[in-house]
Amino acid sequence: MASSPSHHTQIPLAPDPGGKPIDSVVPIHIVTDASQLPAEFLDPSPEKQVIIGFDCEGVDLCRHGTLCIMQLAFPDAIYLVDAIQGGETLVKACKPALESSYITKVIHDCKRDSEALYFQFGIKLHNVVDTQIAYSLIEEQEGRRRSLDDYISFVGLLADPRYCGISYEEKEEVRVLLRQDPQFWTYRPLTELMVRAAADDVRFLPYIYHNMMEKMNQRSLWYLAVRGALYCRCFCINDNDYADWPPLQRIPDNLLVEGEVPEEEILSILDVPPGKMGCIIGRRGSSILAIKESCNAEILIGGSKGPPDKVFIIGPVKQVRKAEAMLRGRMLEMY
């Protein structure tokens, strides 16, 4: 592996899987050429399966935005893949790993990252563990009800002592800088703050993954795999109904028990007539919130990043069909 610029950053105190504090130095490598990445990442294989923390930084990150950095957190190092310096060649060198079943990508809210990778680089992000989805499934599994609009933030997840117990105050500092200058992640060379902020977005994800996996039962694990795959597809609209994407995970045999079989989950995309999205959403979101409360399904809209004329529904088949009918009813009321 070729040498790369590296930083050594002190990790804040955090409990290890055995309950004792960790306080160690982890190298952070800035990658501008694929040769600087680990061999087990570049050439995925069933003999060397790995679990990594994963995230992307950019400008208005979506199908049209600019991907600037991909962060990869391995057990012994963090790699910041510089898409500005390394360009398309470097990002596409990561395609086999990002699409591989042998590399588990632990990420918090994969939708926009997946969209950017798909439309800009032809990468179909696969085999993700989305910690936002996992958090919700554990809450449901343990009997705590939540609103379908109640998504755990990454800062909130880090602060939860069940999973990490770390305060991430610097995140707000970076958010302020991004509001002041949306081009923040495009500047080179990377500053110490940029390196630290990018690394901090992934360094604890493998540890959080470990703690979440200990809590999840087989049913929740299946939902996690399927919903993660559907979230990766969500904004990646194509003309072949995702036929070129990996198939969704089938229900495991041990869950095929009469009366307890999980219902198949699907992604449905509805077209909204031009200029009518506001009617679908309602005043302060009242219309779409009422539909969400009536259906046990996720209902997503593109918002400012788009697509502006679509509604995305993810959930059990019956609940998705119910949501479709209610949304179509709202459309008919417009005329």
Side-chain angles (χ1 to χ4, degrees), residues 40-314:
E40 63 267 30
F41 179 80
L42 292 173
D43 187 18
S45 72
E47 292 78 26
K48 293 184 178 180
Q49 300 191 36
V50 293
I51 298 165
I52 63 170
F54 178 72
D55 193 24
C56 297
E57 307 294 352
V59 180
D60 196 26
L61 201 58
C62 60
R63 69 185 61 196
H64 305 300
T66 302
L67 176 65
C68 299
I69 299 172
M70 287 193 302
Q71 304 103 291
L72 314 171
F74 285 75
D76 57 352
I78 295 172
Y79 297 85
L80 305 183
V81 179
D82 190 341
I84 298 294
Q85 298 280 25
E88 184 176 359
T89 300
L90 175 58
V91 177
K92 287 196 170 180
C94 300
K95 177 181 171 75
L98 298 180
E99 295 186 343
S100 174
S101 298
Y102 306 132
I103 297 182
T104 300
K105 281 71 68 174
V106 186
I107 185 173
H108 190 81
D109 191 2
C110 63
K111 297 187 293 293
R112 291 300 185 184
D113 292 5
S114 179
E115 179 187 18
L117 291 168
Y118 179 70
F119 283 105
Q120 296 182 38
F121 302 99
I123 295 172
K124 296 182 278 289
L125 188 60
H126 176 58
N127 193 27
V128 304
V129 169
D130 191 315
T131 54
Q132 192 172 72
I133 300 171
Y135 181 91
S136 297
L137 287 168
I138 293 170
E139 293 295 287
E140 294 170 13
Q141 179 183 300
E142 297 183 350
R144 289 183 286 274
R145 297 183 62 84
R146 69 173 187 94
S147 163
L148 287 172
D149 269 349
D150 184 20
Y151 303 109
I152 186 73
S153 69
F154 184 54
V155 172
L157 179 63
L158 283 176
D160 193 320
R162 295 173 298 170
Y163 303 115
C164 195
I166 290 292
S167 175
Y168 192 5
E169 296 177 358
E170 192 174 73
K171 186 74 170 177
E172 183 56 34
E173 179 184 351
V174 174
R175 284 175 177 156
V176 170
L177 290 171
L178 282 168
R179 285 194 292 269
Q180 294 173 345
D181 185 358
Q183 301 298 312
F184 174 79
W185 289 112
T186 66
Y187 300 128
R188 298 297 181 271
L190 294 171
T191 65
E192 287 291 335
L193 173 62
M194 295 168 78
V195 170
R196 190 168 64 248
D200 284 348
D201 275 355
V202 293
R203 70 165 75 248
F204 293 112
L205 284 172
Y207 174 73
I208 292 171
Y209 166 87
H210 169 85
N211 288 333
M212 287 183 155
M213 292 302 102
E214 286 188 338
K215 291 178 176 290
M216 302 186 80
N217 61 29
Q218 285 299 115
R219 190 183 189 90
S220 293
L221 288 170
W222 176 76
Y223 278 123
L224 177 63
V226 172
R227 289 181 192 173
L230 293 175
Y231 270 58
C232 282
R233 299 178 185 198
C234 183
F235 295 133
C236 301
I237 304 168
N238 63 21
D239 296 327
N240 63 5
D241 196 27
Y242 304 101
D244 56 337
W245 284 67
L248 298 178
Q249 187 178 118
R250 298 178 61 181
I251 300 174
D253 291 341
N254 62 344
L255 295 181
L256 295 175
V257 180
E258 187 174 354
E260 299 182 11
V261 179
E263 187 176 0
E264 177 191 1
E265 299 221 334
I266 60 171
L267 163 65
S268 175
I269 302 172
L270 290 185
D271 292 318
V272 178
K276 301 300 182 181
M277 184 62 77
C279 299
I280 289 287
I281 297 171
R283 184 182 294 273
R284 296 183 179 177
S286 58
S287 295
I288 200 163
L289 181 59
I291 296 174
K292 287 180 179 181
E293 290 175 346
S294 300
C295 308
N296 184 26
E298 301 278 359
I299 302 176
L300 306 163
I301 57 175
S304 60
K305 292 185 177 181
D309 58 348
K310 310 285 184 189
V311 176
F312 304 84
I313 313 167
I314 296 174

